[in-house]
Amino acid sequence: MKVAVLSESSADEAAVQVLVGSILGREIQIVSVSARRAHGISGVFNVLPAAFKELHYHTDADGVVVVVDSDHLPIHEERHEQPGGADERCRRCKLRQVVSRVQGGLRAVPGRSPLKVAFGVAVPIMEAWYLCGTDPRVNEATWKLGLQARSDPYTKLALKKGVYGTERPSLSLETQRAITEAQRLTRDLPLLERLFPSGFGALAQDLRRW
Ligand SMILES: [Zn+2]
């Protein structure tokens, strides 16, 4: 299966590829996107329309997976799924809106099935997933309580330090740790789904519908 992965950094993309292959339970071939983009969340949102069009018209990709960080924004909830319930601030809702707008403007290509899509949101950043099962304090429920109380249970820098041993890792250290932790997580995906239901569980559900 041919899949494109868009995330906030190449290290995150490497980890997402490992997780996606494991959820799909088959070998995936990565389709790269030539549209240029900047690192970070705005890079993903800026490039998404052009990348989606490129994948539709100029590649034989079967699907695209987009994973971003939630940072301090609201976590996706069941009520966002209701008609008119989408929350603009929620990144899963926003990704969906951007992609459905782009999909609506695409011409059908003979013999081409519509691209399958799957969205993930790491709460609050990918490093929280990498610590799943290692640091029991780190999960969506704890972060959500912190959002409600306006008091972070842990900082993003502390999560980075927990994963890399430093708050400022090099890209090669980031990539190496991301892949190692993603491989570890594939040995217990139900745990990652249980502790990160809105961000990772929803991604896994999207992929299982492919
Ligand atoms: Zn939402």
Side-chain angles (χ1 to χ4, degrees), residues 130-194:
Y130 305 154
L131 288 172
C132 174
T134 304
D135 184 337
R137 297 171 310 147
V138 179
N139 55 64
E140 276 180 12
T142 305
W143 185 258
K144 197 170 180 178
L145 286 175
L147 283 179
Q148 285 159 0
R150 293 178 186 277
S151 165
D152 294 348
Y154 33 81
T155 64
K156 293 196 280 181
L157 281 178
L159 294 176
K160 284 180 190 279
K161 191 145 192 216
V163 174
Y164 310 114
T166 163
E167 293 169 357
R168 299 195 149 271
S170 65
L171 183 60
S172 74
L173 174 62
E174 240 181 87
T175 307
Q176 180 207 319
R177 295 287 303 125
I179 292 173
T180 303
E181 293 306 328
Q183 285 167 341
R184 178 184 63 81
L185 291 167
T186 61
R187 293 198 286 274
D188 194 358
L189 288 175
L191 179 72
L192 187 57
E193 284 192 63
R194 200 162 63 242

Side-chain angles (χ1 to χ4, degrees), residues 76 80 90 93:
H76 188 73
H80 298 178
C90 162
C93 289

Side-chain angles (χ1 to χ4, degrees), residues 75-77 80 86-87 90-93:
I75 300 172
H76 188 73
E77 290 177 34
H80 298 178
D87 183 337
C90 162
R91 290 213 166 124
R92 183 175 170 82
C93 289

Side-chain angles (χ1 to χ4, degrees), residues 30-83:
I30 294 299
V31 178
S32 54
V33 173
S34 65
R36 278 168 63 94
R37 65 207 156 101
H39 188 89
I41 185 71
S42 54
V44 174
F45 279 105
N46 289 342
V47 83
L48 194 50
F52 206 88
K53 285 178 198 159
E54 179 188 337
L55 290 166
H56 176 77
Y57 289 119
H58 304 296
T59 74
D60 57 353
D62 298 295
V64 55
V65 179
V66 188
V67 178
V68 295
D69 296 341
S70 74
D71 300 306
H72 281 85
L73 293 172
I75 300 172
H76 188 73
E77 290 177 34
E78 196 57 45
R79 61 189 174 88
H80 298 178
E81 302 282 342
Q82 304 307 317

